[in-house]
């Protein structure tokens, strides 16, 4: 991903005054990716889905601290309403084997929750930091590209450490679950999923998030993470219609109430954001 974005930016080197902020941006990428992957490995998709929508809260707090945005009652209510709708979808749906693990967690729940908190803080920080970089007149490609290079180096170091430490490797890849050799063994058929992750879960989302960060406040851009369960449900229904034999569980009808909460919350956030812009324009 780093090479793709750096090449799109014409291998432009950022000014020295922006190196530190670019390094911080790369660190937030690293914390977000590793935190989410490790947390998901040690817990379940349900716990990951519960923590994911908290990103706008962290983005709002960080934005206020950095002075990039001002809180408003309407925006806070909208964020909480969207998060509540997302949480309802996760907790209200009937439990099945795909969402509940029969095995106890490998580490304490407090540690797993702390890992997810770090991942969410990392994701929220990404939006705030990239907004600060783009406000200095840079285009998205070199900013995301060089930050991705920093993230890649950190990932390589973390991978080396994890695979060199037997206790860490056992925690992330237990022998009773089949193990993974020395940790560097790639499973057969990994190429297509790898390409999908790079293109559709990395390049395109980072591009869209960066474009959104240019026009929206950090908390507003992050608020749309609450829509992920809705998009996921719609994609599941669509896939099930095209591939009836696919091993997919259709969304439960109870999620409609959560969907209403999500869209109501996002509507309030969007309205609060547009009202804030109108006030600034009137002042100018």
């Amino acid at each position: 991903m780093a090479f793709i974005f750096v090449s799109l930016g014409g291998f432009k080197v950022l000014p020295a005054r922006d190196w530190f902020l670019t390094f911080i941006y790369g660190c937030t990428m690293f914390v977000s990716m590793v935190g989410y992957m490790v947390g998901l490995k040690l817990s379940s998709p349900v716990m990951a889905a519960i923590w994911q929508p908290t990103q706008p809260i962290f983005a709002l707090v960080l934005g206020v601290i950095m002075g990039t945005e001002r809180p408003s009652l309407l925006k806070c209510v909208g964020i909480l309403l969207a998060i509540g709708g997302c949480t309802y979808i996760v907790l209200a749906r009937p439990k099945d084997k795909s969402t509940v693990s029969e095995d106890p967690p490998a580490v304490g729940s407090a540690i797993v929750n702390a890992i997810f908190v770090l991942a969410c803080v990392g994701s929220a920080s990404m939006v705030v930091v990239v907004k600060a970089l783009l406000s200095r007149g840079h285009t998205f490609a070199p900013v995301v590209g060089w930050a991705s290079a920093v993230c890649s180096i950190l990932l390589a170091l973390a991978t080396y450490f994890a695979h060199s430490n037997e206790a860490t490797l056992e925690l992330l890849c237990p022998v009773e679950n089949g193990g993974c050799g020395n940790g560097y063994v790639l499973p057969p058929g990994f190429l297509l999923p790898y390409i999908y992750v790079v293109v559709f879960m990395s390049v395109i989302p980072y591009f869209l998030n960066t474009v959104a960060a240019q026009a929206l406040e950090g908390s507003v851009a992050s608020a749309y993470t609450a829509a992920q369960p809705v998009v996921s449900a719609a994609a599941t229904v669509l896939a099930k219609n095209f591939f009836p034999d696919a091993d997919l569980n259709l969304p439960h009808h109870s999620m409609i109430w959560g969907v209403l909460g999500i869209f109501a919350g996002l509507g309030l956030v969007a309205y609060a954001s547009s009202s804030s812009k109108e006030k600034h324009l009137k002042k100018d």
Side-chain angles (χ1 to χ4, degrees), residues 16-75:
R17 67 185 180 91
D18 296 328
W19 288 359
F20 178 72
L21 200 56
T22 303
F23 173 76
I24 296 298
Y25 182 29
C27 291
T28 60
M29 281 187 184
F30 170 76
V31 171
S32 175
M33 288 182 181
V34 172
Y36 183 76
M37 289 188 293
V38 173
L40 186 60
K41 179 70 176 180
L42 299 178
S43 60
S44 68
V46 174
M47 187 174 290
I50 291 174
W51 276 109
Q52 192 77 356
T54 62
Q55 292 179 24
I57 294 179
F58 293 116
L60 179 60
V61 172
L62 290 170
V64 171
I65 293 174
M66 295 180 66
T68 57
E69 64 177 290
R70 295 179 180 179
S72 68
L73 178 60
L74 197 60
K75 186 191 298 181

Short mmCIF file of all heavy atoms in Angstrom, two decimals, residues 16-75:
data_model
loop_
_atom_site.label_atom_id
_atom_site.label_comp_id
_atom_site.label_asym_id
_atom_site.label_seq_id
_atom_site.Cartn_x
_atom_site.Cartn_y
_atom_site.Cartn_z
N ALA A 16 10.58 18.79 5.69
CA ALA A 16 11.11 18.27 6.96
C ALA A 16 10.22 18.63 8.14
O ALA A 16 10.11 17.86 9.11
CB ALA A 16 12.53 18.79 7.19
N ARG A 17 9.55 19.78 8.06
CA ARG A 17 8.71 20.20 9.18
C ARG A 17 7.51 19.28 9.38
O ARG A 17 6.88 19.29 10.45
CB ARG A 17 8.22 21.63 8.94
CG ARG A 17 7.25 21.79 7.78
CD ARG A 17 6.90 23.26 7.53
NE ARG A 17 5.97 23.42 6.42
CZ ARG A 17 4.64 23.44 6.55
NH1 ARG A 17 4.10 23.32 7.76
NH2 ARG A 17 3.87 23.59 5.49
N ASP A 18 7.17 18.47 8.36
CA ASP A 18 6.02 17.57 8.45
C ASP A 18 6.42 16.12 8.70
O ASP A 18 5.54 15.25 8.77
CB ASP A 18 5.18 17.65 7.16
CG ASP A 18 4.59 19.02 6.95
OD1 ASP A 18 4.30 19.69 7.96
OD2 ASP A 18 4.44 19.44 5.78
N TRP A 19 7.71 15.85 8.83
CA TRP A 19 8.15 14.47 9.02
C TRP A 19 7.63 13.89 10.33
O TRP A 19 7.19 12.74 10.36
CB TRP A 19 9.68 14.39 8.97
CG TRP A 19 10.25 14.58 7.60
CD1 TRP A 19 9.56 14.79 6.44
CD2 TRP A 19 11.63 14.61 7.25
NE1 TRP A 19 10.41 14.95 5.37
CE2 TRP A 19 11.69 14.84 5.83
CE3 TRP A 19 12.81 14.47 7.95
CZ2 TRP A 19 12.90 14.92 5.15
CZ3 TRP A 19 14.02 14.56 7.27
CH2 TRP A 19 14.07 14.77 5.88
N PHE A 20 7.71 14.67 11.38
CA PHE A 20 7.30 14.15 12.70
C PHE A 20 5.81 13.82 12.70
O PHE A 20 5.39 12.76 13.18
CB PHE A 20 7.60 15.16 13.80
CG PHE A 20 7.15 14.70 15.16
CD1 PHE A 20 7.82 13.68 15.83
CD2 PHE A 20 6.04 15.29 15.77
CE1 PHE A 20 7.39 13.25 17.08
CE2 PHE A 20 5.61 14.86 17.01
CZ PHE A 20 6.29 13.84 17.67
N LEU A 21 4.99 14.73 12.14
CA LEU A 21 3.54 14.48 12.11
C LEU A 21 3.21 13.30 11.21
O LEU A 21 2.29 12.52 11.50
CB LEU A 21 2.82 15.74 11.61
CG LEU A 21 1.33 15.86 11.95
CD1 LEU A 21 1.10 15.75 13.43
CD2 LEU A 21 0.76 17.18 11.42
N THR A 22 3.99 13.12 10.12
CA THR A 22 3.79 11.96 9.25
C THR A 22 4.15 10.67 9.97
O THR A 22 3.47 9.65 9.83
CB THR A 22 4.65 12.09 7.97
OG1 THR A 22 4.33 13.32 7.31
CG2 THR A 22 4.41 10.94 7.03
N PHE A 23 5.22 10.74 10.79
CA PHE A 23 5.61 9.58 11.60
C PHE A 23 4.49 9.23 12.59
O PHE A 23 4.16 8.05 12.77
CB PHE A 23 6.91 9.88 12.34
CG PHE A 23 7.31 8.82 13.33
CD1 PHE A 23 7.87 7.62 12.90
CD2 PHE A 23 7.11 9.01 14.69
CE1 PHE A 23 8.22 6.64 13.80
CE2 PHE A 23 7.46 8.02 15.60
CZ PHE A 23 8.02 6.84 15.16
N ILE A 24 3.89 10.24 13.21
CA ILE A 24 2.79 10.01 14.15
C ILE A 24 1.60 9.39 13.42
O ILE A 24 0.94 8.47 13.93
CB ILE A 24 2.37 11.33 14.83
CG1 ILE A 24 3.50 11.87 15.69
CG2 ILE A 24 1.12 11.12 15.68
CD1 ILE A 24 3.91 10.96 16.82
N TYR A 25 1.34 9.87 12.20
CA TYR A 25 0.26 9.31 11.40
C TYR A 25 0.51 7.83 11.12
O TYR A 25 -0.39 6.99 11.23
CB TYR A 25 0.14 10.10 10.10
CG TYR A 25 -0.98 9.67 9.18
CD1 TYR A 25 -2.16 9.11 9.67
CD2 TYR A 25 -0.88 9.84 7.79
CE1 TYR A 25 -3.17 8.73 8.82
CE2 TYR A 25 -1.89 9.47 6.94
CZ TYR A 25 -3.05 8.91 7.46
OH TYR A 25 -4.06 8.53 6.62
N GLY A 26 1.75 7.48 10.77
CA GLY A 26 2.09 6.08 10.55
C GLY A 26 1.93 5.25 11.81
O GLY A 26 1.48 4.09 11.76
N CYS A 27 2.27 5.83 12.96
CA CYS A 27 2.12 5.12 14.24
C CYS A 27 0.65 4.86 14.55
O CYS A 27 0.30 3.79 15.07
CB CYS A 27 2.76 5.92 15.37
SG CYS A 27 4.55 6.00 15.31
N THR A 28 -0.22 5.82 14.23
CA THR A 28 -1.65 5.62 14.49
C THR A 28 -2.20 4.52 13.58
O THR A 28 -3.06 3.74 13.99
CB THR A 28 -2.44 6.92 14.25
OG1 THR A 28 -2.28 7.37 12.90
CG2 THR A 28 -1.96 8.01 15.20
N MET A 29 -1.70 4.45 12.33
CA MET A 29 -2.08 3.34 11.44
C MET A 29 -1.71 2.00 12.07
O MET A 29 -2.50 1.06 12.10
CB MET A 29 -1.36 3.47 10.10
CG MET A 29 -1.92 4.46 9.14
SD MET A 29 -1.02 4.28 7.55
CE MET A 29 -1.76 5.60 6.62
N PHE A 30 -0.47 1.94 12.57
CA PHE A 30 0.05 0.71 13.17
C PHE A 30 -0.80 0.30 14.37
O PHE A 30 -1.20 -0.87 14.49
CB PHE A 30 1.51 0.93 13.57
CG PHE A 30 2.08 -0.18 14.40
CD1 PHE A 30 2.45 -1.38 13.82
CD2 PHE A 30 2.24 -0.02 15.77
CE1 PHE A 30 2.97 -2.41 14.59
CE2 PHE A 30 2.77 -1.04 16.54
CZ PHE A 30 3.13 -2.24 15.96
N VAL A 31 -1.07 1.23 15.26
CA VAL A 31 -1.85 0.93 16.47
C VAL A 31 -3.25 0.45 16.10
O VAL A 31 -3.78 -0.50 16.68
CB VAL A 31 -1.92 2.17 17.39
CG1 VAL A 31 -2.89 1.93 18.54
CG2 VAL A 31 -0.54 2.49 17.94
N SER A 32 -3.86 1.11 15.11
CA SER A 32 -5.20 0.73 14.68
C SER A 32 -5.23 -0.68 14.11
O SER A 32 -6.08 -1.51 14.48
CB SER A 32 -5.71 1.72 13.64
OG SER A 32 -6.95 1.32 13.12
N MET A 33 -4.29 -0.98 13.19
CA MET A 33 -4.28 -2.29 12.53
C MET A 33 -3.97 -3.41 13.52
O MET A 33 -4.71 -4.40 13.62
CB MET A 33 -3.22 -2.30 11.42
CG MET A 33 -3.58 -1.48 10.21
SD MET A 33 -2.28 -1.61 8.94
CE MET A 33 -2.92 -0.55 7.67
N VAL A 34 -2.88 -3.25 14.27
CA VAL A 34 -2.45 -4.31 15.18
C VAL A 34 -3.45 -4.50 16.30
O VAL A 34 -3.78 -5.62 16.68
CB VAL A 34 -1.05 -3.99 15.75
CG1 VAL A 34 -0.67 -4.98 16.83
CG2 VAL A 34 -0.02 -4.03 14.63
N GLY A 35 -3.96 -3.39 16.85
CA GLY A 35 -4.93 -3.49 17.93
C GLY A 35 -6.17 -4.25 17.51
O GLY A 35 -6.66 -5.12 18.24
N TYR A 36 -6.68 -3.93 16.33
CA TYR A 36 -7.89 -4.60 15.86
C TYR A 36 -7.63 -6.08 15.56
O TYR A 36 -8.41 -6.95 15.95
CB TYR A 36 -8.42 -3.91 14.61
CG TYR A 36 -9.71 -4.49 14.10
CD1 TYR A 36 -10.91 -4.21 14.74
CD2 TYR A 36 -9.74 -5.34 12.99
CE1 TYR A 36 -12.11 -4.76 14.29
CE2 TYR A 36 -10.92 -5.89 12.54
CZ TYR A 36 -12.10 -5.59 13.19
OH TYR A 36 -13.28 -6.15 12.74
N MET A 37 -6.52 -6.38 14.87
CA MET A 37 -6.22 -7.77 14.51
C MET A 37 -5.96 -8.64 15.74
O MET A 37 -6.48 -9.75 15.85
CB MET A 37 -5.03 -7.82 13.56
CG MET A 37 -5.33 -7.31 12.16
SD MET A 37 -3.97 -7.59 10.99
CE MET A 37 -2.71 -6.49 11.66
N VAL A 38 -5.17 -8.13 16.68
CA VAL A 38 -4.86 -8.89 17.89
C VAL A 38 -6.10 -9.04 18.76
O VAL A 38 -6.39 -10.11 19.29
CB VAL A 38 -3.72 -8.22 18.68
CG1 VAL A 38 -3.51 -8.92 20.03
CG2 VAL A 38 -2.42 -8.24 17.88
N GLY A 39 -6.87 -7.95 18.91
CA GLY A 39 -8.09 -8.03 19.70
C GLY A 39 -9.07 -9.02 19.13
O GLY A 39 -9.70 -9.79 19.87
N LEU A 40 -9.22 -9.02 17.81
CA LEU A 40 -10.12 -9.97 17.15
C LEU A 40 -9.63 -11.40 17.32
O LEU A 40 -10.41 -12.33 17.51
CB LEU A 40 -10.24 -9.62 15.67
CG LEU A 40 -11.26 -10.41 14.84
CD1 LEU A 40 -12.66 -10.21 15.39
CD2 LEU A 40 -11.21 -9.98 13.38
N LYS A 41 -8.31 -11.57 17.26
CA LYS A 41 -7.72 -12.91 17.42
C LYS A 41 -7.97 -13.45 18.81
O LYS A 41 -8.20 -14.66 19.00
CB LYS A 41 -6.21 -12.82 17.14
CG LYS A 41 -5.47 -14.14 17.30
CD LYS A 41 -5.81 -15.12 16.21
CE LYS A 41 -4.99 -16.40 16.32
NZ LYS A 41 -5.32 -17.37 15.27
N LEU A 42 -7.93 -12.57 19.82
CA LEU A 42 -8.04 -13.01 21.21
C LEU A 42 -9.46 -13.00 21.74
O LEU A 42 -9.70 -13.44 22.86
CB LEU A 42 -7.16 -12.11 22.11
CG LEU A 42 -5.66 -12.11 21.81
CD1 LEU A 42 -4.94 -11.15 22.74
CD2 LEU A 42 -5.09 -13.52 21.94
N SER A 43 -10.42 -12.49 20.95
CA SER A 43 -11.79 -12.43 21.45
C SER A 43 -12.77 -12.94 20.41
O SER A 43 -12.68 -14.08 19.99
CB SER A 43 -12.13 -11.00 21.90
OG SER A 43 -12.02 -10.11 20.81
N SER A 44 -13.69 -12.07 19.97
CA SER A 44 -14.71 -12.49 19.01
C SER A 44 -15.13 -11.30 18.15
O SER A 44 -14.91 -10.14 18.52
CB SER A 44 -15.94 -13.03 19.76
OG SER A 44 -16.59 -11.97 20.46
N PRO A 45 -15.77 -11.56 17.01
CA PRO A 45 -16.26 -10.47 16.16
C PRO A 45 -17.27 -9.57 16.87
O PRO A 45 -17.37 -8.39 16.57
CB PRO A 45 -16.91 -11.20 14.98
CG PRO A 45 -16.24 -12.53 14.94
CD PRO A 45 -15.96 -12.87 16.37
N VAL A 46 -18.03 -10.14 17.84
CA VAL A 46 -19.03 -9.36 18.56
C VAL A 46 -18.36 -8.25 19.37
O VAL A 46 -18.77 -7.09 19.33
CB VAL A 46 -19.87 -10.26 19.48
CG1 VAL A 46 -20.80 -9.41 20.34
CG2 VAL A 46 -20.68 -11.25 18.66
N MET A 47 -17.31 -8.60 20.11
CA MET A 47 -16.62 -7.60 20.91
C MET A 47 -15.98 -6.54 20.01
O MET A 47 -15.99 -5.34 20.34
CB MET A 47 -15.55 -8.27 21.79
CG MET A 47 -14.88 -7.30 22.77
SD MET A 47 -13.75 -8.13 23.93
CE MET A 47 -14.93 -9.02 24.93
N ALA A 48 -15.43 -6.97 18.88
CA ALA A 48 -14.84 -6.01 17.94
C ALA A 48 -15.90 -5.06 17.41
O ALA A 48 -15.67 -3.85 17.29
CB ALA A 48 -14.17 -6.76 16.80
N ALA A 49 -17.08 -5.59 17.09
CA ALA A 49 -18.17 -4.77 16.55
C ALA A 49 -18.69 -3.79 17.58
O ALA A 49 -19.13 -2.68 17.23
CB ALA A 49 -19.30 -5.67 16.06
N ILE A 50 -18.67 -4.15 18.86
CA ILE A 50 -19.14 -3.24 19.91
C ILE A 50 -18.21 -2.05 20.06
O ILE A 50 -18.65 -0.91 20.23
CB ILE A 50 -19.27 -4.00 21.25
CG1 ILE A 50 -20.42 -5.01 21.17
CG2 ILE A 50 -19.48 -3.03 22.40
CD1 ILE A 50 -20.52 -5.91 22.39
N TRP A 51 -16.90 -2.29 19.98
CA TRP A 51 -15.94 -1.21 20.19
C TRP A 51 -15.78 -0.31 18.98
O TRP A 51 -15.48 0.88 19.10
CB TRP A 51 -14.57 -1.79 20.57
CG TRP A 51 -14.43 -2.09 22.02
CD1 TRP A 51 -14.39 -3.32 22.61
CD2 TRP A 51 -14.33 -1.14 23.08
NE1 TRP A 51 -14.27 -3.20 23.96
CE2 TRP A 51 -14.23 -1.87 24.29
CE3 TRP A 51 -14.33 0.25 23.14
CZ2 TRP A 51 -14.12 -1.25 25.53
CZ3 TRP A 51 -14.21 0.88 24.37
CH2 TRP A 51 -14.12 0.13 25.55
N GLN A 52 -16.00 -0.84 17.79
CA GLN A 52 -15.73 -0.09 16.55
C GLN A 52 -16.44 1.26 16.49
O GLN A 52 -15.83 2.27 16.11
CB GLN A 52 -16.13 -0.96 15.35
CG GLN A 52 -15.63 -0.43 14.02
CD GLN A 52 -14.16 -0.69 13.78
OE1 GLN A 52 -13.48 -1.21 14.65
NE2 GLN A 52 -13.67 -0.32 12.62
N PRO A 53 -17.73 1.35 16.88
CA PRO A 53 -18.43 2.63 16.73
C PRO A 53 -18.02 3.69 17.75
O PRO A 53 -18.54 4.81 17.70
CB PRO A 53 -19.91 2.25 16.94
CG PRO A 53 -19.96 0.78 16.80
CD PRO A 53 -18.65 0.28 17.25
N THR A 54 -17.13 3.36 18.70
CA THR A 54 -16.72 4.38 19.68
C THR A 54 -15.70 5.35 19.10
O THR A 54 -15.33 6.33 19.77
CB THR A 54 -16.09 3.70 20.92
OG1 THR A 54 -14.91 2.97 20.54
CG2 THR A 54 -17.08 2.75 21.58
N GLN A 55 -15.25 5.12 17.88
CA GLN A 55 -14.23 5.97 17.27
C GLN A 55 -14.61 7.46 17.24
O GLN A 55 -13.77 8.32 17.53
CB GLN A 55 -13.91 5.49 15.86
CG GLN A 55 -13.21 4.15 15.81
CD GLN A 55 -12.94 3.68 14.39
OE1 GLN A 55 -12.86 4.49 13.47
NE2 GLN A 55 -12.82 2.38 14.20
N PRO A 56 -15.86 7.82 16.91
CA PRO A 56 -16.17 9.25 16.87
C PRO A 56 -16.03 9.95 18.23
O PRO A 56 -15.73 11.14 18.28
CB PRO A 56 -17.62 9.30 16.36
CG PRO A 56 -18.15 7.92 16.52
CD PRO A 56 -16.98 7.01 16.40
N ILE A 57 -16.25 9.21 19.31
CA ILE A 57 -16.08 9.81 20.64
C ILE A 57 -14.62 10.18 20.85
O ILE A 57 -14.29 11.29 21.27
CB ILE A 57 -16.55 8.83 21.74
CG1 ILE A 57 -18.06 8.60 21.64
CG2 ILE A 57 -16.20 9.37 23.12
CD1 ILE A 57 -18.60 7.64 22.65
N PHE A 58 -13.72 9.24 20.54
CA PHE A 58 -12.29 9.52 20.68
C PHE A 58 -11.86 10.62 19.72
O PHE A 58 -11.04 11.47 20.08
CB PHE A 58 -11.48 8.24 20.42
CG PHE A 58 -11.68 7.17 21.44
CD1 PHE A 58 -12.26 5.96 21.10
CD2 PHE A 58 -11.29 7.36 22.76
CE1 PHE A 58 -12.45 4.96 22.04
CE2 PHE A 58 -11.47 6.37 23.71
CZ PHE A 58 -12.05 5.16 23.36
N ALA A 59 -12.41 10.62 18.50
CA ALA A 59 -12.06 11.65 17.53
C ALA A 59 -12.50 13.02 18.01
O ALA A 59 -11.78 14.02 17.84
CB ALA A 59 -12.69 11.33 16.17
N LEU A 60 -13.68 13.09 18.62
CA LEU A 60 -14.19 14.35 19.13
C LEU A 60 -13.30 14.87 20.27
O LEU A 60 -12.94 16.05 20.30
CB LEU A 60 -15.62 14.19 19.63
CG LEU A 60 -16.29 15.43 20.22
CD1 LEU A 60 -16.34 16.56 19.19
CD2 LEU A 60 -17.69 15.10 20.72
N VAL A 61 -12.95 13.97 21.19
CA VAL A 61 -12.09 14.36 22.32
C VAL A 61 -10.73 14.84 21.82
O VAL A 61 -10.23 15.89 22.24
CB VAL A 61 -11.92 13.18 23.30
CG1 VAL A 61 -10.87 13.52 24.36
CG2 VAL A 61 -13.25 12.84 23.97
N LEU A 62 -10.13 14.08 20.90
CA LEU A 62 -8.82 14.46 20.36
C LEU A 62 -8.91 15.77 19.57
O LEU A 62 -8.01 16.62 19.65
CB LEU A 62 -8.29 13.34 19.45
CG LEU A 62 -7.88 12.05 20.15
CD1 LEU A 62 -7.62 10.95 19.12
CD2 LEU A 62 -6.65 12.26 21.01
N GLY A 63 -10.00 15.94 18.82
CA GLY A 63 -10.18 17.18 18.05
C GLY A 63 -10.30 18.39 18.95
O GLY A 63 -9.75 19.46 18.65
N VAL A 64 -11.00 18.24 20.06
CA VAL A 64 -11.15 19.34 21.02
C VAL A 64 -9.80 19.66 21.66
O VAL A 64 -9.43 20.84 21.81
CB VAL A 64 -12.20 18.99 22.10
CG1 VAL A 64 -12.19 20.03 23.21
CG2 VAL A 64 -13.58 18.89 21.48
N ILE A 65 -9.04 18.60 22.02
CA ILE A 65 -7.73 18.80 22.64
C ILE A 65 -6.79 19.53 21.68
O ILE A 65 -6.05 20.44 22.08
CB ILE A 65 -7.13 17.45 23.08
CG1 ILE A 65 -7.94 16.85 24.22
CG2 ILE A 65 -5.67 17.62 23.50
CD1 ILE A 65 -7.51 15.46 24.61
N MET A 66 -6.83 19.12 20.40
CA MET A 66 -5.93 19.73 19.41
C MET A 66 -6.47 21.05 18.86
O MET A 66 -5.78 21.73 18.10
CB MET A 66 -5.69 18.75 18.25
CG MET A 66 -4.96 17.48 18.66
SD MET A 66 -4.68 16.35 17.27
CE MET A 66 -3.56 17.33 16.25
N GLY A 67 -7.70 21.39 19.22
CA GLY A 67 -8.27 22.65 18.78
C GLY A 67 -8.76 22.65 17.34
O GLY A 67 -8.94 23.72 16.75
N THR A 68 -8.99 21.46 16.78
CA THR A 68 -9.44 21.39 15.38
C THR A 68 -10.95 21.40 15.24
O THR A 68 -11.47 21.56 14.14
CB THR A 68 -8.89 20.12 14.70
OG1 THR A 68 -9.31 18.96 15.44
CG2 THR A 68 -7.37 20.15 14.66
N GLU A 69 -11.69 21.20 16.34
CA GLU A 69 -13.14 21.28 16.28
C GLU A 69 -13.72 21.62 17.65
O GLU A 69 -13.06 21.45 18.68
CB GLU A 69 -13.75 19.98 15.75
CG GLU A 69 -13.56 18.75 16.60
CD GLU A 69 -14.28 17.54 16.01
OE1 GLU A 69 -15.52 17.52 16.05
OE2 GLU A 69 -13.59 16.64 15.50
N ARG A 70 -14.96 22.09 17.62
CA ARG A 70 -15.65 22.45 18.85
C ARG A 70 -16.82 21.51 19.08
O ARG A 70 -17.55 21.18 18.13
CB ARG A 70 -16.17 23.89 18.76
CG ARG A 70 -15.07 24.95 18.67
CD ARG A 70 -15.68 26.33 18.56
NE ARG A 70 -14.65 27.36 18.46
CZ ARG A 70 -14.92 28.65 18.33
NH1 ARG A 70 -16.18 29.04 18.26
NH2 ARG A 70 -13.93 29.53 18.25
N PRO A 71 -17.01 21.05 20.32
CA PRO A 71 -18.13 20.15 20.58
C PRO A 71 -19.45 20.90 20.58
O PRO A 71 -19.49 22.10 20.84
CB PRO A 71 -17.81 19.62 21.99
CG PRO A 71 -17.03 20.72 22.64
CD PRO A 71 -16.22 21.35 21.53
N SER A 72 -20.51 20.21 20.26
CA SER A 72 -21.86 20.79 20.34
C SER A 72 -22.79 19.72 20.89
O SER A 72 -22.55 18.52 20.72
CB SER A 72 -22.34 21.26 18.96
OG SER A 72 -22.57 20.16 18.10
N LEU A 73 -23.83 20.17 21.55
CA LEU A 73 -24.78 19.23 22.16
C LEU A 73 -25.42 18.34 21.10
O LEU A 73 -25.56 17.13 21.28
CB LEU A 73 -25.86 20.00 22.92
CG LEU A 73 -26.95 19.16 23.59
CD1 LEU A 73 -26.34 18.20 24.60
CD2 LEU A 73 -28.00 20.05 24.23
N LEU A 74 -25.81 18.95 19.97
CA LEU A 74 -26.47 18.20 18.91
C LEU A 74 -25.56 17.13 18.33
O LEU A 74 -25.98 15.99 18.08
CB LEU A 74 -26.92 19.15 17.81
CG LEU A 74 -27.98 18.62 16.83
CD1 LEU A 74 -29.25 18.25 17.57
CD2 LEU A 74 -28.27 19.68 15.77
N LYS A 75 -24.29 17.49 18.14
CA LYS A 75 -23.33 16.52 17.59
C LYS A 75 -23.11 15.37 18.57
O LYS A 75 -23.07 14.20 18.17
CB LYS A 75 -22.01 17.22 17.30
CG LYS A 75 -20.98 16.33 16.60
CD LYS A 75 -19.62 16.97 16.57
CE LYS A 75 -19.61 18.25 15.79
NZ LYS A 75 -18.28 18.87 15.73
#
